[in-house]
Amino acid sequence: MKIEKRTETVAAVCGDECLIPTSQDAMDVIATVRYETGCGALILPKEALSEEFFRLSTGLAGEVLQKFTNYGMKLAIVGDFSHYTSKPLQDFIRESNRGKTVCFVSTESEAIEWLSK
């Protein structure tokens, strides 16, 4: 996993490999980002998440996002989510974007702007 700082408080995972197939892997990513960068916010490409994450019935999305919330790390997931047609998933993304911990955006610049608020 390659991590780069984008600002003093925002780090980004670089690459398109799946890093978070389980909620325990989310813990590993959080710990690595904190240790290597000291940042409290992370930009994650959607490819870093297992496709199971986007099937809400698996519960993985809730478990992963709860880890980020519990450990006080803001998260911006960057990618194209338009091909996901599930209404519950679309609602989940919309509600997440209204909150202050997790957002789903199209570009890294949008992510930096949201995470810097």
Side-chain angles (χ1 to χ4, degrees):
M1 168 175 37
K2 182 177 178 189
I3 304 166
E4 296 177 355
K5 281 183 96 168
R6 296 295 192 243
T7 71
E8 278 301 308
T9 60
V10 177
V13 169
C14 303
D16 59 1
E17 66 184 282
C18 181
L19 300 173
I20 304 179
T22 70
S23 61
Q24 181 56 46
D25 295 308
M27 288 294 309
D28 296 342
V29 169
I30 292 167
T32 301
V33 169
R34 290 256 194 224
Y35 178 76
E36 290 186 11
T37 69
C39 291
L42 178 64
I43 298 170
L44 192 66
K46 86 171 194 58
E47 293 78 17
L49 297 163
S50 162
E51 277 301 309
E52 297 294 311
F53 179 92
F54 298 100
R55 283 193 282 282
L56 295 182
S57 62
T58 67
L60 183 59
E63 291 174 15
V64 168
L65 299 186
Q66 191 63 51
K67 300 282 187 206
F68 279 88
T69 300
N70 288 349
Y71 291 92
M73 181 168 283
K74 291 175 73 173
L75 174 66
I77 302 168
V78 177
D80 178 9
F81 306 100
S82 63
H83 70 281
Y84 295 109
T85 57
S86 160
K87 180 162 177 14
L89 179 60
Q90 291 171 351
D91 293 343
F92 179 78
I93 289 172
R94 191 170 23 265
E95 286 302 313
S96 294
N97 287 352
R98 289 183 185 154
K100 296 183 180 189
T101 305
V102 178
C103 74
F104 294 79
V105 294
S106 301
T107 67
E108 188 172 299
S109 61
E110 289 176 296
I112 291 170
E113 180 181 334
W114 189 87
L115 291 169
S116 298
K117 292 180 187 174

